[in-house]
Amino acid sequence: MTILSPFVYWAQNEINLFIKVDLKDVKQPNVIIEKRKIQFQSKGSGAQGYKDYEFFIDLHSEIDKDKNNLKVTDHKVDLTLTKLDKGWWPRLTSQPQKPAWLKIDFDRWQSEDDLLDEDVRDVREDYPHLYDTLQKDELGYRKEDFKKVYLTLYNLFMYVGYMYIVSILCIKYVRDGTDFFPVAYETVGQVFCFMQLFQFLEVMHPLFNYVKGGIFIPLMQVLGRFFILFLMIGKEPRIQKMPVVFYLFLAWSAAEIIRYPYYMSVLYKKDNGVLTWLRYSAWIVLYPIGFTCEAVIVFRNLIFIEHSGKWSISMPNSLNFTFHFATFLRIFLLFIMIPSIYTLMSHMYKARKQKLGKKIRKIKRS
């Protein structure tokens, strides 16, 4: 007589094993638990219909046979076991070869809701190589979650885009010298606007829990760039031909070709000392250059708009309302732009202390 085995899914943390038996309509299962063995037998609805099912597992290490929890529902049987010694098991069974009906419950493994102790950490963080090996053994390949794949593609796309801008600016400058300045915006302006539109996604990433942190800093940075790029430069042809646009584009892009590779290294937990240092040190030079260029562009626009009256609303009108755009630019420059510069620089200074402070102290001690 052929012995039928149900599909069995398992997961773990440092303290417990979680075993799920994929059987429906189970009433009174016969479960025998020993230090290194689990035996299960019951009637239920499985892959072969409503029949007798059973399985036997010779465990990799010992468990506390007196500490277990069996829960039977209409759709499955859950069994929680306690490991005798705290730690991660490389596999559930004593032998490397596992039966075809035994599967890894990746969904539960990836969810911290099932952890019984708040101090217990995730296997993906503490034992990444073990987790990768389990995935390869189970699936034949390493499974990546959508969030990680998306962030990888996004960061790679943004890096390539800004690297293209930096390359064009540098090549054209080396070839043409200062004669390239008046056509810098014409050469890479559309590409820059396209890349800037994509950066709006960085405001959404914290909202969807794709990255840690708040939305205030990315929102402030993105809106500030939008104002400078699309309004101050894009709507004023005289500004587009000024050398300051070249320097602004170069400073912005240089910061980005450091930032996005750093994000990818963090995403894959590949610590690169040089890249980390650049990420938290290059801003000391690049941000002041960028801010100075932005201030010059706003000030030059203020002069142009003061004479032309562009984007201003004068009385009388049907709304009985007046708006002087040059005055708005003065307010923006003094009360919005300068505080924003201080906020962003303070944010980066604190981040630098957190990331590089310990390393700097270690070097001094040695």
Side-chain angles (χ1 to χ4, degrees), residues 210-360:
Y210 276 28
V211 298
K212 296 179 181 179
I215 68 169
F216 177 71
I217 294 296
L219 181 62
M220 181 180 67
Q221 206 165 6
V222 169
L223 289 180
R225 282 196 181 186
F226 259 67
F227 181 78
I228 298 296
L229 182 60
F230 288 93
L231 195 61
M232 295 289 94
I233 300 176
K235 296 298 182 180
E236 181 50 70
R238 288 172 289 185
I239 294 290
Q240 296 172 11
K241 298 182 182 300
M242 290 183 175
V244 68
V245 173
F246 170 84
Y247 294 117
L248 177 66
F249 281 1
L250 194 60
W252 278 358
S253 300
E256 304 300 32
I257 63 174
I258 296 171
R259 185 163 68 101
Y260 290 111
Y262 171 76
Y263 286 165
M264 285 192 283
S265 71
V266 171
L267 192 61
Y268 286 91
K269 297 181 175 61
K270 303 293 184 182
D271 187 20
N272 186 307
V274 174
L275 192 57
T276 302
W277 184 86
L278 283 173
R279 165 60 181 146
Y280 292 100
S281 300
W283 65 270
I284 299 173
V285 175
L286 295 175
Y287 279 20
I289 293 174
F291 291 145
T292 303
C293 292
E294 292 172 21
V296 169
I297 289 170
V298 172
F299 184 75
R300 293 295 296 178
N301 264 288
L302 194 157
I303 296 173
F304 293 147
I305 292 169
E306 188 78 69
H307 288 88
S308 65
K310 190 176 181 181
W311 297 323
S312 297
I313 301 174
S314 302
M315 295 281 284
N317 56 67
S318 58
L319 297 175
N320 198 28
F321 170 77
T322 184
F323 175 73
H324 193 232
F325 193 70
T327 302
F328 168 77
L329 287 182
R330 290 187 179 94
I331 296 172
F332 176 83
L333 191 61
L334 293 174
F335 299 105
I336 298 179
M337 195 169 181
I338 293 176
S340 297
I341 293 171
Y342 174 78
T343 301
L344 189 57
M345 295 282 282
S346 299
H347 170 78
M348 290 303 299
Y349 175 71
K350 291 176 182 177
R352 188 176 194 272
K353 285 180 66 177
Q354 290 177 351
K355 290 290 182 179
L356 303 182
K358 294 180 180 179
K359 294 182 180 180
I360 293 172

Side-chain angles (χ1 to χ4, degrees), residues 32-46:
I32 300 175
I33 299 173
E34 299 179 10
K35 285 188 176 181
R36 294 286 296 266
K37 295 178 182 179
I38 302 174
Q39 188 171 348
F40 176 94
Q41 186 176 15
S42 178
K43 273 187 172 294
S45 297

Side-chain angles (χ1 to χ4, degrees), residues 18-216:
F18 307 103
I19 296 176
K20 180 181 74 174
V21 184
D22 190 12
L23 275 183
K24 299 179 181 179
D25 304 321
V26 174
K27 300 303 180 185
Q28 293 181 338
N30 180 22
V31 182
I32 300 175
I33 299 173
E34 299 179 10
K35 285 188 176 181
R36 294 286 296 266
K37 295 178 182 179
I38 302 174
Q39 188 171 348
F40 176 94
Q41 186 176 15
S42 178
K43 273 187 172 294
S45 297
Q48 303 296 325
Y50 189 78
K51 295 183 179 179
D52 286 315
Y53 291 88
E54 63 181 80
F55 67 83
F56 174 84
I57 298 176
D58 191 3
L59 297 171
H60 176 272
S61 301
E62 292 187 356
I63 60 172
D64 188 339
K65 65 177 184 179
D66 297 322
K67 292 183 179 180
N68 60 78
N69 181 35
L70 180 67
K71 183 179 179 181
V72 180
T73 68
D74 293 338
H75 301 284
K76 61 182 178 179
V77 177
D78 280 326
L79 181 61
T80 302
L81 305 173
T82 303
K83 299 175 182 177
L84 198 60
D85 296 317
K86 182 180 178 181
W88 295 97
W89 291 9
R91 57 182 180 272
L92 181 65
T93 58
S94 59
Q95 299 297 323
Q97 298 79 18
K98 67 180 183 65
W101 45 263
L102 183 59
K103 307 290 184 182
I104 297 175
D105 191 352
F106 286 110
D107 290 336
R108 189 170 190 184
W109 211 319
Q110 293 176 1
S111 173
E112 295 184 358
D113 294 338
D114 292 313
L115 300 181
L116 302 184
D117 190 338
E118 291 182 358
D119 295 329
V120 176
R121 293 179 57 85
D122 193 338
V123 67
R124 293 168 296 169
E125 296 182 3
D126 290 342
Y127 301 90
H129 298 298
L130 168 60
Y131 188 72
D132 292 345
T133 301
L134 288 168
Q135 281 192 327
K136 289 176 182 178
D137 290 343
E138 179 73 17
L139 305 174
Y141 62 92
R142 179 178 174 179
K143 182 181 177 183
E144 300 286 1
D145 58 45
F146 172 79
K147 179 176 72 174
K148 193 171 185 179
V149 173
Y150 162 75
L151 288 175
T152 300
L153 293 176
Y154 173 81
N155 289 322
L156 181 61
F157 172 79
M158 298 300 286
Y159 168 73
V160 171
Y162 282 109
M163 178 57 78
Y164 168 80
I165 293 172
V166 169
S167 301
I168 294 297
L169 291 175
C170 292
I171 291 171
K172 295 280 188 179
Y173 177 76
V174 170
R175 190 188 67 181
D176 302 331
T178 56
D179 292 337
F180 173 63
F181 289 166
V183 295
Y185 181 83
E186 181 182 341
T187 305
V188 298
Q190 287 188 345
V191 179
F192 216 111
C193 291
F194 179 76
M195 299 302 297
Q196 194 58 48
L197 286 171
F198 266 90
Q199 272 196 336
F200 245 126
L201 292 172
E202 295 181 25
V203 180
M204 308 302 294
H205 291 166
L207 293 176
F208 290 103
N209 253 350
Y210 276 28
V211 298
K212 296 179 181 179
I215 68 169
F216 177 71

